[in-house]
Amino acid sequence: MNVELHVMVGAYTLDALEEREQIAFEAHLAGCPMCAGELAEFQDTAARLANAVAVAPPPQLRATVLDAAARTTQERPVVQLHQGSRWRQRLPMLVAAAAVLGVLGAVGAYIGEHDRLTDLREADVREAAVIAADDAVLSEIRQGDTSVKVFSSDQMDEAVVVMAGVPPLEQSRDYQMWAVPAKGDPRSLAVVDSDDVATSGSTLVGSLDNAQMLAVTVEPDGGSPLPTRQPVLSVQLG
Amino acid sequence: MVDPFPLPVSGVSEPTLSDLLVQVARGDENAFAGLYDRMVAPVHGLARRVVRDPARAEEITQEVFLQVWRTASRFQPERGSARSWLLTLAHRRAVDVVRHDQASTNREARYDWSGGRDTDVVDDEVTMRLEHEQVRRCLGSLTELQREAVTLAYYGGYTYGEVSSLLAVNPATIKTRMRDGLIRLRDCLGVTR
């Protein structure tokens, strides 16, 4: 069990974590039934703290709320698909690792001590460090089920691209990622096989320099020196 | 354990909050009205406690109930109780508001309040306002640091980092006290699943 993350369950219940730690804890929670049990009990406990300060609002609020609800569309239930592609399982660990690294800062010491992290490849640790960097910027695009998230850190001079829901390609094709500057040619960042995207989902791509956009194209096997097609996805970098 | 919210005794058993929430997810406006009637006081009281401004607290109450209406289909009964689900939404919303407001004025001021806003006063106020005898008694059973860590975060909307600055105690200790404070409170209140 990851003790550092587990102890956060109290602060998490009280909404007292910083946003990044909150995300990390939620990722940890997904794989920790014990934490989920403790959290549920803590939330019931916190609910008692709320009950203790209960005060009815002015009565006219009732009609306002009920009228507003009658005019508000409800979210449709989410249908759970059990595809279980592996990147989905790996990502929470990565994010959790990122937060731990960010919070504790002691990368080397931590990896030695906690078995959960020893499974991570070196690249995972670097990816985690980029995501956790103080200056990390997240740019994101979503089209239907497909999403691309780009975490970039000037400090680390690296970026991590996380793709999800990307369709598989035929054998003779690969996805290629490009840093697109305001002026000049796109620069290749990485060539990824669509199977790899399905298994790993995250790719460490080095520096984005001053790229305005990150674009993904479908290229012949092994990639091309310059894009040969229109991008299938592009993300404006913030 | 004494149920703090005994249901009215009648021949027909009332639907549980969880039943109501499931009906709300199907667009049942009557169930929504029922849920409102049963939960509005703790939601509004909590919002008021955290943001302190009555008008803001009403806005938050309205937003939270509309969020419940919109997202009721996300409630998963196996993950926790309907009451907790709703109050978790309410607390998050209130905390977001108070942090946002604070950020747009002067966030730094929050760290320098040790002179202006005495934490003992906050604690006293909290204790005095507690209507629920059992909760008050159980908060009283915590160590001072546990109680301050829990109440400053929950009622004050402070992050553990801010609590750490206010109390001049190491942040890691505050995180630990929040957890062991909740454990003690849970056991004292007899919360079990």
Side-chain angles (χ1 to χ4, degrees):
Chain A
M1 187 181 72
N2 186 321
V3 177
E4 285 295 335
L5 276 168
H6 187 76
V7 91
M8 287 190 195
V9 65
Y12 179 81
T13 306
L14 302 169
D15 296 318
L17 293 175
E18 300 294 344
E19 193 178 1
R20 187 174 297 170
E21 294 166 289
Q22 189 182 325
I23 294 169
F25 180 78
E26 282 169 0
H28 170 66
L29 195 59
C32 177
M34 203 179 98
C35 308
E38 189 165 270
L39 175 64
E41 288 181 351
F42 281 3
Q43 285 176 332
D44 286 351
T45 305
R48 299 288 292 278
L49 293 176
N51 293 337
V53 293
V55 181
Q60 60 271 26
L61 189 66
R62 187 177 193 271
T64 311
V65 170
L66 299 189
D67 288 352
R71 285 181 279 108
T72 303
T73 312
Q74 290 186 293
E75 231 178 61
R76 302 171 70 86
V78 176
V79 180
Q80 297 288 342
L81 294 177
H82 294 286
Q83 290 176 337
S85 61
R86 273 164 56 199
W87 77 268
R88 282 174 196 279
Q89 293 157 17
R90 214 173 65 97
L91 188 62
M93 184 158 73
L94 191 63
V95 177
V100 168
L101 299 176
V103 172
L104 302 180
V107 182
Y110 206 82
I111 292 165
E113 285 168 31
H114 295 269
D115 53 6
R116 227 182 124 84
L117 288 182
T118 50
D119 297 341
L120 297 174
R121 292 177 296 123
E122 190 210 346
D124 291 331
V125 174
R126 277 168 61 206
E127 288 176 11
V130 171
I131 296 174
D134 287 338
D135 70 334
V137 175
L138 169 62
S139 312
E140 188 172 10
I141 189 168
R142 195 169 275 282
Q143 285 173 4
D145 290 340
T146 307
S147 70
V148 179
K149 290 187 171 75
V150 183
F151 296 86
S152 58
S153 159
D154 288 344
Q155 247 171 46
M156 308 277 302
D157 206 22
E158 283 190 306
V160 175
V161 181
V162 182
M163 295 207 283
V166 177
L169 300 173
E170 48 186 298
Q171 281 293 322
S172 59
R173 300 266 183 264
D174 283 332
Y175 285 110
Q176 189 163 6
M177 299 177 197
W178 308 89
V180 185
K183 270 194 233 164
D185 289 334
R187 182 168 55 83
S188 175
L189 292 170
V191 178
V192 281
D193 191 294
S194 68
D195 289 345
D196 287 347
V197 175
T199 41
S200 121
S202 58
T203 312
L204 190 66
V205 296
S207 170
L208 294 176
D209 288 329
N210 292 318
Q212 305 275 302
M213 194 168 77
L214 182 136
V216 180
T217 60
V218 176
E219 298 294 335
D221 208 4
S224 310
L226 282 171
T228 61
R229 319 254 181 124
Q230 287 297 310
V232 287
L233 288 160
S234 59
V235 183
Q236 290 295 330
L237 300 171
Chain B
M1 169 196 152
V2 180
D3 185 347
F5 293 90
L7 297 175
V9 180
S10 68
V12 187
S13 64
E14 272 202 43
T16 63
L17 289 173
S18 180
D19 294 339
L20 286 177
L21 208 40
V22 169
Q23 289 167 301
V24 169
R26 297 177 193 145
D28 185 333
E29 292 179 23
N30 286 328
F32 183 65
L35 194 66
Y36 179 91
D37 291 338
R38 284 175 51 187
M39 288 302 294
V40 74
V43 167
H44 174 256
L46 179 60
R48 197 156 162 165
R49 176 80 239 175
V50 175
V51 301
R52 287 163 187 267
D53 173 349
R56 290 297 258 157
E58 279 178 49
E59 279 169 26
I60 291 168
T61 305
Q62 177 168 355
E63 286 163 9
V64 168
F65 276 97
L66 283 181
Q67 188 183 1
V68 168
W69 169 257
R70 278 191 296 104
T71 64
S73 63
R74 293 192 202 173
F75 169 63
Q76 295 172 283
E78 68 281 2
R79 301 263 301 268
S81 72
R83 178 182 298 276
S84 296
W85 186 74
L86 219 150
L87 289 171
T88 300
L89 294 182
H91 191 257
R92 289 213 177 137
R93 183 67 201 135
V95 162
D96 281 351
V97 166
V98 83
R99 285 184 195 157
H100 181 82
D101 287 358
Q102 198 70 43
S104 58
T105 53
N106 179 9
R107 182 77 179 176
E108 285 308 306
R110 296 190 83 176
Y111 294 93
D112 299 331
W113 279 358
S114 42
R117 195 171 114 174
D118 191 326
T119 52
D120 286 333
V121 175
V122 174
D123 198 42
D124 244 17
E125 243 176 71
V126 167
T127 313
M128 270 166 28
R129 284 208 196 179
L130 292 181
E131 294 165 48
H132 207 282
E133 193 55 39
Q134 194 186 11
V135 170
R136 193 174 67 180
R137 183 174 60 74
C138 288
L139 276 175
S141 77
L142 305 187
T143 68
E144 196 181 338
L145 190 54
Q146 286 173 337
R147 183 171 58 251
E148 284 177 335
V150 168
T151 57
L152 283 170
Y154 195 70
Y155 292 132
Y158 293 98
T159 64
Y160 76 86
E162 291 168 333
V163 172
S164 146
S165 299
L166 280 169
L167 303 180
V169 175
N170 170 326
T173 308
I174 295 296
K175 267 195 284 194
T176 309
R177 291 297 88 85
M178 284 176 174
R179 176 161 175 263
D180 53 38
L182 281 170
I183 288 173
R184 200 182 274 195
L185 204 52
R186 173 196 72 192
D187 294 345
C188 178
L189 290 167
V191 173
T192 49
R193 300 191 72 82

